[in-house]
Amino acid sequence: MTSDDPDPDPAPEPTTAWPVGLTTMGFGGDYNPEQWPVETRLEDIELMAEAGVNVVSLAIFSWATLEPREGELDFGWLDDMMDRLHAGGVRVALATATASPPPWLTRRHPEILPQLADGTVLGQGGRQSYAVASPVYREYAAKMAATLAERYGDHPALALWHVDNEIGCHTAHDYSDAAADAFRVWLEARYGDVESLNQAWGTAFWSQRYGSFDDVLPPRTAPTYANPTQQLDFARYSSDQLLSYYTLLRDTLRPITPHVPITTNFMAAGSKWMDYFAWGAEVDVVANDHYTTADDAERHIELAFSADLTRGIARGKGWILMEHSTGAVNWQPRNRAKAPGEMLRNSLQHVARGADAVMFFQWRQSKAGAEKFHSALVPHAGRDSQVWRDAVALGQALKALIPVTGSRVEARTAIVFDYASWWAVELDSHPSVDVTYPERMRALYRELWNRGVAVDFVTPESDLGGYQLILAPTLYLVTDEGAANIAAAAERGASVLITYFSGIVDQNDHIRLGGYPGAFRDLLGVSTDEFFPLLAQESVTLDDGTTADVWTERVRLTSAGAVRTFTDGPMAGGPAVTRNAVGSGAAWYAATRQDAASISWLVGELLAESDVEPVVVTSPGVEVVRRTGADGARFLFVINHTDGVASVPATGTDLLTGTDVQGEVEVAAGGAAVVQEA
Ligand code: GAL
């Protein structure tokens, strides 16, 4: 299977796609009792009840505790924890314990260690020190998963399988000999014969022609630029290889516990290398981890982006926030605690955008180890702390939101997201290093967020039928099918926006000849014969006084009209933003990197033209999202990220306070309301 092809062998169906017995909003976190003495574990169960915790992820990093020496198993403590959690009414997402191989395993089989492109072998002593392609590691990991499934398959606490942990987080790319073998197998499956590979990789260039698959290697460090399609295929292979490790463990667990759903936790907004749209189809329920960045003043918008992207990966269905933090993390340069109310707002943002469970890394803050300064629900200070009081308050809020469980977010605007395009557009030797992904996407998203417009994330090949406005930023690589799908949406009446350096190459990273932006030339009614990227610090002015940087190009209008032109710079007088009437819709082209004011103008035009309305009219910094139940119940989330009181039109009951709302809900600075609308 490749990222571009449909899965020929669909996943076996689970009996249920939601954690067994988790019937309300989930609340909990990673629980690592092996780090604590029994007295603390007993206190944990009491505190979980106090906070209203109803689900924990257990045994994620427990392999070395469960099997301290090869074949010597010690399950006593886990048996005890499963029983105690069950007695305390806490459901368990039980991990396969494979996220970090035990020291005896890497000593006995050093060939399972992953390798960097430059040949450096990554040692044991941190975590995730395994080569995902290693048949030896896979065998050991599958054995541990099977052992756990056989032991706990019938345990009444078992609600969900948590396979490994953030697969690919530290080792998205492995260049070991095991990887080289697996890459060749993957390439043979993709291309069939080596001549097809030569065509796809354009190996007539630089004497790279292969006579046999045996000669092909991963793109290890070379004297200069490695073949771009080799790099792109290695990215595809790596995502597929990591996914196949997940499916191996899933398919090991499934026959033993067909009644238990299976997942693994994604890192949707933070990770470039896993094609989560493909991965989403392989998990029973999508679970995501998200951490805010302390020095990002707009981190609440970045969070919303992550949550909406996760819902897209879940194809609109409910999903689990598997990890976020109560306060500081330990892995940023300066790890600041969250501001008062921020943890609650963050949690509600995820719920507003489709999460039906809010979980944290981790339950109790570690006393030792690399993450001892990472926040948790139970901090070092213990119960007498703001963090604990906030945790208890969150538990109460989530209880009040039980009616929201299972409802969905609806949107008429779609943003097209494509991992292969991301991998390809950021390869080396391009016109400008400043063209990155998903930078334009975030700029457009930010504007929609500020206006309270609901957004779905889709792939170029998704069904676009329900969308009136479709934004396809930096879609450098696009398949014929994807390009046709987007064009068809404009034909039937949608407004489509394409931004610069889109439609440039096919799935092999070969230029679409005859003028840029090849795949979208006809749709957009423009043709470009040359790029004029701007130099660092250079900017240009548009005819409405707004500015742009990074990119210009010589656009010739074939059927489109220029809506904005450049007044200076290398393309002075030429089109900067164009619009082409297409069928019952329109296709817009942004040929430069517009500033925030220009983006705001453009998004305003697009919303007006496509009749897309905000959820409710809001002011900047006041987040509004609506979830709608299958029975028509409507829940309006209003999250105030500003320093002032916010008023938003609404009528119904605020579930968080139980108060009546007539015509308008007033939300304090930094506060939130969830109105069940009348
Ligand atoms: C995640 C990981 C957790 C923990 C957390 C810290 O990436 O899954 O185990 O390390 O980060 O923020």
Side-chain angles (χ1 to χ4, degrees):
M1 179 195 150
T2 70
S3 311
D4 299 333
D5 298 333
D7 180 1
D9 182 17
E13 284 302 311
T15 321
T16 167
W18 196 252
V20 180
L22 191 67
T23 50
T24 60
M25 279 280 164
F27 175 39
D30 286 13
Y31 182 36
N32 300 302
E34 65 268 42
Q35 297 175 11
W36 298 99
V38 170
E39 314 79 78
T40 314
R41 298 180 196 177
L42 296 181
E43 189 196 41
D44 285 337
I45 305 290
E46 278 169 32
L47 291 181
M48 284 181 196
E50 185 177 327
V53 162
N54 55 16
V55 57
V56 295
S57 293
L58 196 58
I60 296 177
F61 294 99
S62 303
W63 193 342
T65 309
L66 291 172
E67 191 178 9
R69 279 164 288 275
E70 183 163 11
E72 191 182 310
L73 297 172
D74 174 13
F75 281 99
W77 66 273
L78 189 54
D79 293 351
D80 183 58
M81 281 325 307
M82 290 289 284
D83 292 348
R84 286 187 196 281
L85 288 163
H86 178 60
V90 179
R91 313 294 302 148
V92 173
L94 187 59
T96 50
T98 50
S100 204
W104 58 260
L105 180 51
T106 48
R107 183 169 67 90
R108 171 136 190 241
H109 290 287
E111 74 275 20
I112 72 168
L113 293 170
Q115 194 174 308
L116 300 182
D118 68 1
T120 305
V121 174
L122 301 177
Q124 178 258 110
R127 66 176 178 184
Q128 217 173 67
S129 47
Y130 60 79
V132 77
S134 158
V136 174
Y137 183 67
R138 284 178 172 232
E139 200 183 316
Y140 274 97
K143 193 170 156 209
M144 178 45 85
T147 304
L148 284 158
E150 269 147 19
R151 190 170 189 98
Y152 298 108
D154 294 326
H155 196 285
L158 180 61
L160 176 71
W161 285 113
H162 179 299
V163 171
D164 210 270
N165 189 61
E166 291 189 344
I167 298 171
C169 170
H170 306 296
T171 51
H173 294 144
D174 164 39
Y175 298 79
S176 65
D177 289 343
D181 290 342
F183 186 37
R184 284 189 281 267
V185 169
W186 184 92
L187 289 168
E188 277 204 66
R190 183 175 175 89
Y191 294 111
D193 58 79
V194 80
E195 257 331 294
S196 305
L197 176 142
N198 281 313
Q199 286 303 318
W201 287 18
T203 56
F205 182 81
W206 279 359
S207 183
Q208 292 172 347
R209 191 165 188 281
Y210 292 96
S212 155
F213 281 107
D214 295 340
D215 297 335
V216 182
L217 287 168
R220 291 179 177 152
T221 306
T224 185
Y225 308 120
N227 179 301
T229 317
Q230 179 189 13
Q231 295 188 61
L232 176 59
D233 273 350
F234 191 64
R236 290 180 170 125
Y237 148 81
S238 298
S239 176
D240 289 352
Q241 188 66 19
L242 291 160
L243 177 57
S244 78
Y245 168 62
Y246 164 77
T247 56
L248 167 75
L249 297 191
R250 179 198 66 194
D251 297 347
T252 303
L253 298 166
R254 181 80 82 213
I256 311 172
T257 58
H259 59 292
V260 181
I262 306 172
T263 194
T264 185
N265 44 343
F266 296 170
M267 303 159 280
S271 179
K272 170 178 174 179
W273 296 114
M274 278 63 77
D275 179 353
Y276 285 135
F277 282 102
W279 288 47
E282 302 292 337
V283 295
D284 298 333
V285 51
V286 166
N288 194 49
D289 298 349
H290 182 265
Y291 292 92
T292 53
T293 301
D295 71 358
D296 176 1
E298 293 194 332
R299 53 192 179 275
H300 50 287
I301 304 182
E302 192 279 328
L303 184 159
F305 179 98
S306 162
D308 283 344
L309 177 58
T310 304
R311 191 180 68 253
I313 289 164
R315 273 105 177 140
K317 290 194 246 148
W319 53 276
I320 292 174
L321 176 65
M322 190 64 98
E323 288 180 24
H324 72 148
S325 71
T326 57
V329 298
N330 63 303
W331 42 264
Q332 290 169 17
R334 283 158 288 272
N335 296 299
R336 189 147 75 187
K338 290 190 178 179
E342 188 172 356
M343 187 273 275
L344 178 64
R345 290 196 298 281
N346 289 171
S347 301
L348 293 175
Q349 285 189 273
H350 287 289
V351 174
R353 294 173 189 277
D356 277 350
V358 175
M359 299 174 68
F360 292 82
F361 177 84
Q362 59 176 330
W363 161 252
R364 185 184 280 275
Q365 187 168 17
S366 296
K367 187 178 166 192
E371 296 184 315
K372 58 185 171 296
F373 292 112
H374 193 294
S375 61
L377 287 157
V378 184
H380 289 154
R383 270 179 93 249
D384 187 12
S385 60
Q386 190 59 42
V387 168
W388 177 251
R389 286 185 281 276
D390 289 348
V392 172
L394 173 63
Q396 278 158 3
L398 292 173
K399 253 186 215 137
L401 296 185
I402 288 173
V404 176
T405 318
S407 58
R408 301 275 190 265
V409 178
E410 291 168 3
R412 310 290 287 158
T413 299
I415 292 184
V416 179
F417 191 107
D418 187 68
Y419 284 93
S421 201
W422 189 352
W423 303 332
V425 78
E426 293 187 355
L427 287 173
D428 51 66
S429 27
H430 276 191
S432 170
V433 294
D434 298 324
V435 180
T436 58
Y437 197 92
E439 185 276 336
R440 283 295 77 190
M441 189 177 292
R442 288 189 184 276
L444 290 160
Y445 181 86
R446 174 182 185 274
E447 182 61 31
L448 292 162
W449 187 94
N450 270 320
R451 290 169 181 260
V453 175
V455 178
D456 281 347
F457 284 88
V458 298
T459 70
E461 290 82 15
S462 295
D463 177 2
L464 300 176
Y467 300 107
Q468 292 160 239
L469 175 58
I470 296 155
L471 310 175
T474 329
L475 197 58
Y476 164 74
L477 178 153
V478 66
T479 60
D480 293 347
E481 186 198 350
N485 191 39
I486 292 168
E491 280 287 340
R492 61 120 184 104
S495 290
V496 169
L497 169 72
I498 309 279
T499 70
Y500 59 91
F501 214 44
S502 290
I504 303 298
V505 299
D506 64 13
Q507 63 270 32
N508 293 327
D509 197 36
H510 292 201
I511 300 289
R512 293 175 176 277
L513 301 175
Y516 314 120
F520 297 119
R521 214 166 45 221
D522 293 343
L523 169 67
L524 296 170
V526 300
S527 184
T528 289
D529 68 339
E530 218 171 355
F531 300 138
F532 290 80
L534 298 176
L535 304 180
Q537 322 304 334
E538 217 181 343
S539 69
V540 291
T541 312
L542 309 192
D543 55 359
D544 61 356
T546 60
T547 63
D549 60 7
V550 171
W551 191 262
T552 65
E553 59 184 70
R554 185 162 49 225
V555 175
R556 181 166 58 88
L557 303 171
T558 50
S559 56
V563 190
R564 289 285 181 271
T565 53
F566 295 108
T567 56
D568 57 17
M571 288 299 105
V577 179
T578 67
R579 180 182 181 280
N580 194 32
V582 182
S584 327
W588 294 65
Y589 186 49
T592 189
R593 197 178 88 120
Q594 300 156 266
D595 66 13
S598 187
I599 286 286
S600 180
W601 157 78
L602 179 58
V603 167
E605 295 289 306
L606 291 165
L607 291 171
E609 176 180 280
S610 57
D611 288 330
V612 172
E613 303 279 345
V615 173
V616 294
V617 176
T618 177
S619 48
V622 181
E623 181 169 6
V624 284
V625 190
R626 179 174 285 122
R627 283 182 63 160
T628 306
D631 59 357
R634 285 152 45 109
F635 305 94
L636 183 69
F637 285 71
V638 184
I639 305 164
N640 184 359
H641 300 278
T642 75
D643 293 338
V645 177
S647 289
V648 165
T651 294
T653 308
D654 179 0
L655 294 177
L656 296 178
T657 58
T659 52
D660 256 12
V661 175
Q662 289 302 331
E664 200 154 81
V665 60
E666 230 180 50
V667 182
V674 182
V675 181
Q676 175 154 17
E677 295 173 284

mmCIF file of all heavy atoms in Angstrom, residues 30 60-61 127 165-166 169-170 265 267 289 291 323 325 329-331 361 371 374, ligand 1:
data_model
loop_
_atom_site.group_PDB
_atom_site.id
_atom_site.type_symbol
_atom_site.label_atom_id
_atom_site.label_comp_id
_atom_site.label_asym_id
_atom_site.label_seq_id
_atom_site.Cartn_x
_atom_site.Cartn_y
_atom_site.Cartn_z
ATOM 1 N N ASP A 30 -2.693 9.865 31.158
ATOM 2 C CA ASP A 30 -1.713 8.776 31.238
ATOM 3 C C ASP A 30 -1.457 8.488 32.712
ATOM 4 O O ASP A 30 -1.208 9.419 33.496
ATOM 5 C CB ASP A 30 -0.366 9.201 30.617
ATOM 6 C CG ASP A 30 -0.399 9.255 29.105
ATOM 7 O OD1 ASP A 30 -1.501 9.214 28.530
ATOM 8 O OD2 ASP A 30 0.688 9.359 28.509
ATOM 9 N N ILE A 60 1.877 2.425 29.296
ATOM 10 C CA ILE A 60 2.457 2.885 28.024
ATOM 11 C C ILE A 60 3.966 2.590 27.975
ATOM 12 O O ILE A 60 4.477 2.111 26.969
ATOM 13 C CB ILE A 60 2.196 4.390 27.824
ATOM 14 C CG1 ILE A 60 0.686 4.644 27.714
ATOM 15 C CG2 ILE A 60 2.899 4.899 26.566
ATOM 16 C CD1 ILE A 60 0.309 6.105 27.593
ATOM 17 N N PHE A 61 4.632 2.899 29.077
ATOM 18 C CA PHE A 61 6.097 2.699 29.112
ATOM 19 C C PHE A 61 6.462 1.611 30.126
ATOM 20 O O PHE A 61 7.423 1.748 30.865
ATOM 21 C CB PHE A 61 6.790 4.021 29.461
ATOM 22 C CG PHE A 61 6.608 5.072 28.393
ATOM 23 C CD1 PHE A 61 5.658 6.061 28.519
ATOM 24 C CD2 PHE A 61 7.387 5.037 27.238
ATOM 25 C CE1 PHE A 61 5.474 7.018 27.522
ATOM 26 C CE2 PHE A 61 7.212 5.987 26.235
ATOM 27 C CZ PHE A 61 6.254 6.979 26.381
ATOM 28 N N ARG A 127 13.849 6.901 24.891
ATOM 29 C CA ARG A 127 12.679 6.063 24.620
ATOM 30 C C ARG A 127 12.536 5.910 23.114
ATOM 31 O O ARG A 127 13.230 6.572 22.351
ATOM 32 C CB ARG A 127 11.412 6.646 25.253
ATOM 33 C CG ARG A 127 10.973 7.969 24.651
ATOM 34 C CD ARG A 127 9.657 8.435 25.261
ATOM 35 N NE ARG A 127 9.258 9.723 24.714
ATOM 36 C CZ ARG A 127 8.190 10.408 25.116
ATOM 37 N NH1 ARG A 127 7.414 9.932 26.077
ATOM 38 N NH2 ARG A 127 7.894 11.557 24.570
ATOM 39 N N ASN A 165 2.908 4.333 21.459
ATOM 40 C CA ASN A 165 2.660 5.714 21.879
ATOM 41 C C ASN A 165 3.249 6.677 20.861
ATOM 42 O O ASN A 165 4.426 6.561 20.512
ATOM 43 C CB ASN A 165 3.302 6.003 23.244
ATOM 44 C CG ASN A 165 2.873 7.351 23.792
ATOM 45 O OD1 ASN A 165 1.687 7.565 24.026
ATOM 46 N ND2 ASN A 165 3.820 8.258 23.965
ATOM 47 N N GLU A 166 2.441 7.573 20.367
ATOM 48 C CA GLU A 166 2.908 8.568 19.396
ATOM 49 C C GLU A 166 3.922 7.928 18.442
ATOM 50 O O GLU A 166 5.088 8.354 18.369
ATOM 51 C CB GLU A 166 3.503 9.784 20.106
ATOM 52 C CG GLU A 166 2.460 10.603 20.845
ATOM 53 C CD GLU A 166 2.986 11.924 21.370
ATOM 54 O OE1 GLU A 166 4.211 12.105 21.440
ATOM 55 O OE2 GLU A 166 2.168 12.801 21.711
ATOM 56 N N CYS A 169 7.087 9.589 16.708
ATOM 57 C CA CYS A 169 7.361 10.891 17.346
ATOM 58 C C CYS A 169 8.846 11.257 17.257
ATOM 59 O O CYS A 169 9.209 12.324 16.786
ATOM 60 C CB CYS A 169 6.903 10.847 18.790
ATOM 61 S SG CYS A 169 7.426 12.252 19.769
ATOM 62 N N HIS A 170 9.712 10.341 17.707
ATOM 63 C CA HIS A 170 11.155 10.660 17.702
ATOM 64 C C HIS A 170 11.876 10.060 16.498
ATOM 65 O O HIS A 170 12.959 10.504 16.151
ATOM 66 C CB HIS A 170 11.818 10.134 18.978
ATOM 67 C CG HIS A 170 11.156 10.608 20.225
ATOM 68 N ND1 HIS A 170 11.111 11.935 20.587
ATOM 69 C CD2 HIS A 170 10.478 9.936 21.198
ATOM 70 C CE1 HIS A 170 10.449 12.057 21.739
ATOM 71 N NE2 HIS A 170 10.056 10.866 22.127
ATOM 72 N N ASN A 265 -2.222 7.098 19.614
ATOM 73 C CA ASN A 265 -2.376 8.552 19.718
ATOM 74 C C ASN A 265 -1.567 9.285 18.649
ATOM 75 O O ASN A 265 -0.384 9.054 18.467
ATOM 76 C CB ASN A 265 -2.046 9.054 21.129
ATOM 77 C CG ASN A 265 -0.787 8.432 21.732
ATOM 78 O OD1 ASN A 265 -0.290 7.414 21.272
ATOM 79 N ND2 ASN A 265 -0.256 9.072 22.762
ATOM 80 N N MET A 267 -0.363 13.014 16.609
ATOM 81 C CA MET A 267 0.141 14.360 16.965
ATOM 82 C C MET A 267 -0.218 15.272 15.792
ATOM 83 O O MET A 267 0.653 15.792 15.103
ATOM 84 C CB MET A 267 1.666 14.314 17.148
ATOM 85 C CG MET A 267 2.137 13.325 18.187
ATOM 86 S SD MET A 267 3.887 12.891 17.932
ATOM 87 C CE MET A 267 3.725 11.690 16.608
ATOM 88 N N ASP A 289 -2.970 14.020 20.483
ATOM 89 C CA ASP A 289 -2.243 14.712 21.538
ATOM 90 C C ASP A 289 -1.976 16.136 21.062
ATOM 91 O O ASP A 289 -1.653 16.338 19.888
ATOM 92 C CB ASP A 289 -0.894 14.032 21.808
ATOM 93 C CG ASP A 289 -1.061 12.590 22.283
ATOM 94 O OD1 ASP A 289 -2.204 12.192 22.593
ATOM 95 O OD2 ASP A 289 -0.040 11.872 22.345
ATOM 96 N N TYR A 291 -0.127 19.977 22.409
ATOM 97 C CA TYR A 291 0.522 20.845 23.397
ATOM 98 C C TYR A 291 0.640 22.248 22.832
ATOM 99 O O TYR A 291 1.018 22.415 21.670
ATOM 100 C CB TYR A 291 1.908 20.276 23.763
ATOM 101 C CG TYR A 291 1.761 18.974 24.529
ATOM 102 C CD1 TYR A 291 1.754 17.757 23.868
ATOM 103 C CD2 TYR A 291 1.544 18.991 25.898
ATOM 104 C CE1 TYR A 291 1.552 16.567 24.555
ATOM 105 C CE2 TYR A 291 1.342 17.810 26.592
ATOM 106 C CZ TYR A 291 1.351 16.605 25.929
ATOM 107 O OH TYR A 291 1.136 15.448 26.621
ATOM 108 N N GLU A 323 -3.939 13.413 25.037
ATOM 109 C CA GLU A 323 -2.975 14.107 25.898
ATOM 110 C C GLU A 323 -3.034 15.601 25.639
ATOM 111 O O GLU A 323 -3.078 16.031 24.487
ATOM 112 C CB GLU A 323 -1.535 13.701 25.550
ATOM 113 C CG GLU A 323 -1.099 12.334 25.934
ATOM 114 C CD GLU A 323 0.358 12.096 25.516
ATOM 115 O OE1 GLU A 323 1.115 13.073 25.363
ATOM 116 O OE2 GLU A 323 0.714 10.932 25.310
ATOM 117 N N SER A 325 -1.761 19.302 28.382
ATOM 118 C CA SER A 325 -1.103 19.519 29.668
ATOM 119 C C SER A 325 -1.937 20.426 30.555
ATOM 120 O O SER A 325 -2.659 21.299 30.063
ATOM 121 C CB SER A 325 0.288 20.116 29.456
ATOM 122 O OG SER A 325 0.180 21.454 29.023
ATOM 123 N N VAL A 329 5.035 22.290 29.976
ATOM 124 C CA VAL A 329 5.682 21.067 29.507
ATOM 125 C C VAL A 329 7.152 21.155 29.917
ATOM 126 O O VAL A 329 7.560 22.083 30.626
ATOM 127 C CB VAL A 329 5.510 20.877 27.976
ATOM 128 C CG1 VAL A 329 4.053 20.732 27.625
ATOM 129 C CG2 VAL A 329 6.175 22.006 27.201
ATOM 130 N N ASN A 330 7.959 20.203 29.504
ATOM 131 C CA ASN A 330 9.377 20.209 29.897
ATOM 132 C C ASN A 330 10.297 20.316 28.685
ATOM 133 O O ASN A 330 11.505 20.295 28.827
ATOM 134 C CB ASN A 330 9.720 18.907 30.624
ATOM 135 C CG ASN A 330 9.532 17.713 29.701
ATOM 136 O OD1 ASN A 330 8.436 17.516 29.174
ATOM 137 N ND2 ASN A 330 10.573 16.949 29.471
ATOM 138 N N TRP A 331 9.704 20.414 27.475
ATOM 139 C CA TRP A 331 10.543 20.252 26.279
ATOM 140 C C TRP A 331 10.625 21.513 25.420
ATOM 141 O O TRP A 331 11.185 21.473 24.339
ATOM 142 C CB TRP A 331 10.060 19.054 25.451
ATOM 143 C CG TRP A 331 8.558 18.943 25.337
ATOM 144 C CD1 TRP A 331 7.740 18.174 26.106
ATOM 145 C CD2 TRP A 331 7.707 19.618 24.400
ATOM 146 N NE1 TRP A 331 6.423 18.332 25.721
ATOM 147 C CE2 TRP A 331 6.379 19.207 24.667
ATOM 148 C CE3 TRP A 331 7.928 20.525 23.361
ATOM 149 C CZ2 TRP A 331 5.280 19.669 23.943
ATOM 150 C CZ3 TRP A 331 6.831 20.990 22.636
ATOM 151 C CH2 TRP A 331 5.527 20.547 22.930
ATOM 152 N N PHE A 361 -1.367 14.295 29.645
ATOM 153 C CA PHE A 361 -0.120 13.736 30.112
ATOM 154 C C PHE A 361 0.268 14.616 31.285
ATOM 155 O O PHE A 361 0.541 15.800 31.082
ATOM 156 C CB PHE A 361 0.997 13.734 29.068
ATOM 157 C CG PHE A 361 2.252 13.213 29.682
ATOM 158 C CD1 PHE A 361 2.473 11.861 29.756
ATOM 159 C CD2 PHE A 361 3.161 14.080 30.287
ATOM 160 C CE1 PHE A 361 3.609 11.373 30.404
ATOM 161 C CE2 PHE A 361 4.288 13.583 30.932
ATOM 162 C CZ PHE A 361 4.503 12.227 30.987
ATOM 163 N N GLU A 371 10.864 13.815 32.637
ATOM 164 C CA GLU A 371 9.647 14.632 32.585
ATOM 165 C C GLU A 371 9.195 15.110 33.966
ATOM 166 O O GLU A 371 8.027 15.448 34.146
ATOM 167 C CB GLU A 371 8.555 13.844 31.863
ATOM 168 C CG GLU A 371 8.970 13.591 30.424
ATOM 169 C CD GLU A 371 7.909 12.902 29.591
ATOM 170 O OE1 GLU A 371 7.325 11.930 30.083
ATOM 171 O OE2 GLU A 371 7.688 13.319 28.447
ATOM 172 N N HIS A 374 7.422 18.358 33.974
ATOM 173 C CA HIS A 374 6.206 18.460 33.142
ATOM 174 C C HIS A 374 4.999 18.426 34.064
ATOM 175 O O HIS A 374 4.902 17.588 34.950
ATOM 176 C CB HIS A 374 6.182 17.272 32.176
ATOM 177 C CG HIS A 374 5.172 17.404 31.077
ATOM 178 N ND1 HIS A 374 3.813 17.409 31.298
ATOM 179 C CD2 HIS A 374 5.335 17.520 29.734
ATOM 180 C CE1 HIS A 374 3.186 17.526 30.134
ATOM 181 N NE2 HIS A 374 4.092 17.596 29.172
HETATM 182 C C1 GAL B 1 4.005 13.279 24.421
HETATM 183 C C2 GAL B 1 4.194 11.852 24.893
HETATM 184 C C3 GAL B 1 4.072 11.721 26.401
HETATM 185 C C4 GAL B 1 4.838 12.823 27.080
HETATM 186 C C5 GAL B 1 4.353 14.154 26.586
HETATM 187 C C6 GAL B 1 5.023 15.329 27.227
HETATM 188 O O1 GAL B 1 4.666 13.475 23.211
HETATM 189 O O2 GAL B 1 3.252 11.002 24.288
HETATM 190 O O3 GAL B 1 4.559 10.455 26.775
HETATM 191 O O4 GAL B 1 6.192 12.661 26.825
HETATM 192 O O5 GAL B 1 4.593 14.240 25.208
HETATM 193 O O6 GAL B 1 4.541 16.548 26.740
#
